[in-house]
Amino acid sequence: MNRILRRLRLRPVSYSSSRRMRYTALAIFLLITLTFFLPLRTKQDLIANGSSSPSKFRIQFAFQGESRSARRIRQHRQQQVRQAFLHAWKGYKKYGWLHDEVTPLSGRHRDPYVGWAATLVEGLDSLYIIGLQHEFDSALEALKSINFSRPNAERVPVFETTIRYLGGLLGAYDVSGGKYPLLLQKADQLGEFLLQAFNTPNGIPVPYYWWQRGNQGLEGEGGVLVAQIGSLSLEFTRLAQLTGKQKYLDGLWPSQVDTRGPSFDGSAFTLGAWADSLYEYLPKEHLLLNGKTDQYLQMYRAALDSAVKYHLFRPKTPGDQDILFPGSLEARGNGQAALRTEVQHLACFVGGMVGLGARLNDSPEELAIAIKLTEGCVWAYQNTASGIMPEVFYIDDCPSDGSCEWTDEGHVEPGHEYGFTRILDTSYQLRPEAIESVFIMYRLTGNPIWQEKGWNMFQAIMKHTMTPIGNARIRDVTDAEPKQDDSMESFWLAETLKYFYLLFSEPDLVSLDNFVL
């Protein structure tokens, strides 16, 4: 354990290390392409081992019950989350029904994701989990009117459409036990449409599909965010398992940033925006396939090893907190690569990812890293005037050798923002990543301290984001009374509040032994 943690005090990476990382990326790309050409029998095996087979993995802690007082507190908090969800859902239903988003201040609506009612579709599984059956039935009835073969926009963002719509439909189908065939029918309809985005010369999907332009709408691009084209596997694999259609397993793992062909020119490496879900999907794909292939677990292990070496760092904080953050890495061929101690709220999923991977690898050392990463994001919530983590900030890293003592010289301290060197983006966009990891840590460890941390986060978020219609993003978390912006993305209901609700639920509700979230 000490050996691993010593490696987390990062040093600048030499050019040879940068070159080695590119070779590793190329090797991963070649490994990824094997998925395109899996033997037919292998694909049939993967489809056959869908929901019918019990999971061979045990992820959750063996919970042993709770005291009467603990149950009372937990259930009260769960009801508070339920009421928050219902409040925002009713605001959407009144002002944004069958549109992608409601605007929580002005009471209008927006359609940034093709206009297929993203909040409705993505929130279906949350409705069912929370037990809002009447609202769930109403949403199902409205779903009948949505034609997923014909977008309400000229350009279809393939990644966003896959995770919000296809993921929402499949998630609701699974958590409801397959009782509503309409959900799978609509998912299959959407899957057939999205497969057209893969009809490119190299099989790598276009990030944006201009569906009315024929072949001209399938032209690849340079500078594509790797998450856009590398985070499609879970949804299409599950669709293949549920429908038996092998074609949904093809062409899912491009590696880098050029859809016209692999390009490994010097660039930045990150676990946050642009790449986040690519890495997140690796251990989850292994779980979804019930370990029938080690390909994704091998890729995850390679990614984790590089992350430990190059990305994760211990920050300088008041009180010398024993926490970790994922930074980013600039690795360019004309000079030395170096760690950038830029921390993103988006990257807070890493703690949960490493925790799940720790269970797959049966590694207490990795679980210790996961806990420290999640503690890092909790620390970032606790140390702003609003009690909410900024979207992007910088913080000093501890040196590889010597003292890690924090001083306030050169640090940002409006209110009581202690420890941050610079806050690049002060907003909070109702994001779920931090509470997702807190929820996973609770389910992995059984330690109720994570429920306390999550409750403090929930109270701060509700205090500053609630509006008469729903919940709004806020501009400046360093302000004790931050101003609100007129935006409520669909993931607020589909993810953020769902994870808060599950944190205070009995552990067999959506058990991580049975579901891949």
Side-chain angles (χ1 to χ4, degrees), residues 60 68 87 100 128 143 147-148 155 193 217 221-222 225 228 236 239 247 255 278 288 324 359 365 386 454 464 494:
Q60 291 203 160
R68 185 174 300 177
H87 170 73
D100 288 346
Y128 192 87
L143 183 65
N147 182 358
F148 289 107
R155 189 183 77 159
F193 173 82
E221 302 178 20
L225 308 183
Q228 290 179 308
F236 278 99
L239 186 58
K247 61 184 177 181
S255 177
L278 170 66
L288 185 61
L324 295 173
R359 283 288 189 260
E365 291 184 338
S386 66
H464 298 299

Side-chain angles (χ1 to χ4, degrees), residues 199-347:
N199 291 331
T200 58
N202 57 15
I204 297 175
V206 291
Y208 298 99
Y209 176 36
W210 297 83
W211 62 286
Q212 295 172 310
R213 296 185 182 181
N215 290 336
Q216 291 183 342
L218 291 168
E219 295 179 356
E221 302 178 20
V224 175
L225 308 183
V226 69
Q228 290 179 308
I229 53 176
S231 305
L232 310 175
S233 59
L234 286 177
E235 293 85 358
F236 278 99
T237 297
R238 188 62 184 144
L239 186 58
Q241 290 175 336
L242 292 172
T243 63
K245 294 182 178 181
Q246 299 168 17
K247 61 184 177 181
Y248 286 135
L249 289 179
D250 288 335
L252 297 178
W253 281 107
S255 177
Q256 267 289 347
V257 295
D258 193 334
T259 56
R260 297 165 298 190
S263 173
F264 299 97
D265 294 336
S267 62
F269 295 79
T270 179
L271 299 177
W274 301 3
D276 48 354
S277 49
L278 170 66
Y279 299 105
E280 176 191 4
Y281 276 29
L282 294 173
K284 290 185 176 181
E285 183 77 356
H286 184 75
L287 279 169
L288 185 61
L289 295 173
N290 208 14
K292 293 299 179 180
T293 171
D294 282 337
Q295 175 174 323
Y296 297 99
L297 186 58
Q298 292 173 14
M299 294 165 65
Y300 169 72
R301 286 170 174 165
L304 179 64
D305 185 61
S306 292
V308 169
K309 290 179 180 177
Y310 303 118
H311 288 275
L312 308 188
F313 69 95
R314 182 179 178 183
K316 288 184 178 181
T317 58
D320 193 20
Q321 305 294 314
D322 190 12
I323 58 177
L324 295 173
F325 282 121
S328 58
L329 187 74
E330 290 187 348
R332 302 187 181 278
N334 59 355
Q336 288 197 341
L339 171 73
R340 293 175 58 206
T341 59
E342 176 190 271
V343 179
Q344 302 177 24
H345 195 290
L346 268 169

Side-chain angles (χ1 to χ4, degrees), residues 168-480:
L169 292 165
L170 293 172
Y173 182 81
D174 276 338
V175 299
S176 62
K179 292 188 296 186
Y180 303 94
L182 175 67
L183 294 166
L184 184 56
Q185 293 167 10
K186 290 294 186 179
D188 192 23
Q189 181 187 53
L190 177 56
E192 292 281 0
F193 173 82
L194 288 173
L195 276 185
Q196 298 175 69
F198 290 80
N199 291 331
T200 58
N202 57 15
I204 297 175
V206 291
Y208 298 99
Y209 176 36
W210 297 83
W211 62 286
Q212 295 172 310
R213 296 185 182 181
N215 290 336
Q216 291 183 342
L218 291 168
E219 295 179 356
E221 302 178 20
V224 175
L225 308 183
V226 69
Q228 290 179 308
I229 53 176
S231 305
L232 310 175
S233 59
L234 286 177
E235 293 85 358
F236 278 99
T237 297
R238 188 62 184 144
L239 186 58
Q241 290 175 336
L242 292 172
T243 63
K245 294 182 178 181
Q246 299 168 17
K247 61 184 177 181
Y248 286 135
L249 289 179
D250 288 335
L252 297 178
W253 281 107
S255 177
Q256 267 289 347
V257 295
D258 193 334
T259 56
R260 297 165 298 190
S263 173
F264 299 97
D265 294 336
S267 62
F269 295 79
T270 179
L271 299 177
W274 301 3
D276 48 354
S277 49
L278 170 66
Y279 299 105
E280 176 191 4
Y281 276 29
L282 294 173
K284 290 185 176 181
E285 183 77 356
H286 184 75
L287 279 169
L288 185 61
L289 295 173
N290 208 14
K292 293 299 179 180
T293 171
D294 282 337
Q295 175 174 323
Y296 297 99
L297 186 58
Q298 292 173 14
M299 294 165 65
Y300 169 72
R301 286 170 174 165
L304 179 64
D305 185 61
S306 292
V308 169
K309 290 179 180 177
Y310 303 118
H311 288 275
L312 308 188
F313 69 95
R314 182 179 178 183
K316 288 184 178 181
T317 58
D320 193 20
Q321 305 294 314
D322 190 12
I323 58 177
L324 295 173
F325 282 121
S328 58
L329 187 74
E330 290 187 348
R332 302 187 181 278
N334 59 355
Q336 288 197 341
L339 171 73
R340 293 175 58 206
T341 59
E342 176 190 271
V343 179
Q344 302 177 24
H345 195 290
L346 268 169
C348 282
F349 82 94
V350 176
M353 177 189 72
V354 175
L356 291 175
R359 283 288 189 260
L360 298 179
N361 292 328
D362 191 21
S363 172
E365 291 184 338
E366 291 178 20
L367 182 58
I369 293 173
I371 290 172
K372 293 177 189 295
L373 285 164
T374 309
E375 290 279 17
C377 291
V378 171
W379 177 91
Y381 268 78
Q382 293 172 339
N383 283 273
T384 66
S386 66
I388 303 175
M389 178 180 180
E391 177 76 356
V392 184
F393 65 87
Y394 284 83
I395 190 169
D396 287 340
D397 62 316
C398 293
S400 56
D401 298 303
S403 173
C404 190
E405 182 178 357
W406 179 87
T407 63
D408 61 4
E409 184 176 352
H411 286 67
V412 178
E413 294 187 23
H416 46 276
E417 277 69 55
Y418 298 119
F420 302 101
T421 56
R422 182 159 62 104
I423 300 180
L424 195 63
D425 186 341
T426 60
S427 70
Y428 171 64
Q429 302 179 20
L430 306 177
R431 292 200 184 278
E433 289 79 15
I435 188 56
E436 175 185 7
S437 288
V438 168
F439 156 70
I440 292 175
M441 286 304 106
Y442 174 64
R443 290 290 184 92
L444 295 183
T445 67
N447 190 341
I449 191 64
W450 294 109
Q451 292 179 312
E452 295 302 318
K453 296 175 189 293
W455 180 243
N456 290 334
M457 293 164 62
F458 176 76
Q459 289 180 300
I461 290 171
M462 292 304 299
K463 176 182 178 181
H464 298 299
T465 67
M466 194 167 181
T467 77
I469 294 171
N471 295 80
R473 60 179 286 175
I474 58 177
R475 298 181 189 179
D476 188 354
V477 299
T478 70
D479 189 337

Side-chain angles (χ1 to χ4, degrees), residues 137-168:
D137 292 341
S138 175
L140 275 186
E141 188 63 30
L143 183 65
K144 295 177 182 178
S145 68
I146 301 175
N147 182 358
F148 289 107
S149 296
R150 188 174 183 83
N152 296 319
E154 293 182 317
R155 189 183 77 159
V156 176
V158 175
F159 166 67
E160 296 287 355
T161 302
T162 299
I163 64 171
R164 293 176 191 261
Y165 292 106
L166 190 56

Side-chain angles (χ1 to χ4, degrees), residues 90-112:
K90 288 182 175 179
Y92 168 72
K93 194 172 183 180
K94 182 175 181 179
Y95 296 102
W97 194 241
L98 284 176
H99 291 277
D100 288 346
E101 298 174 358
V102 65
T103 52
L105 298 180
S106 61
R108 294 191 289 267
H109 53 73
R110 300 174 60 243
D111 288 304

Side-chain angles (χ1 to χ4, degrees), residues 326 355 399 456 484 487:
N456 290 334
Q484 298 175 330
S487 173

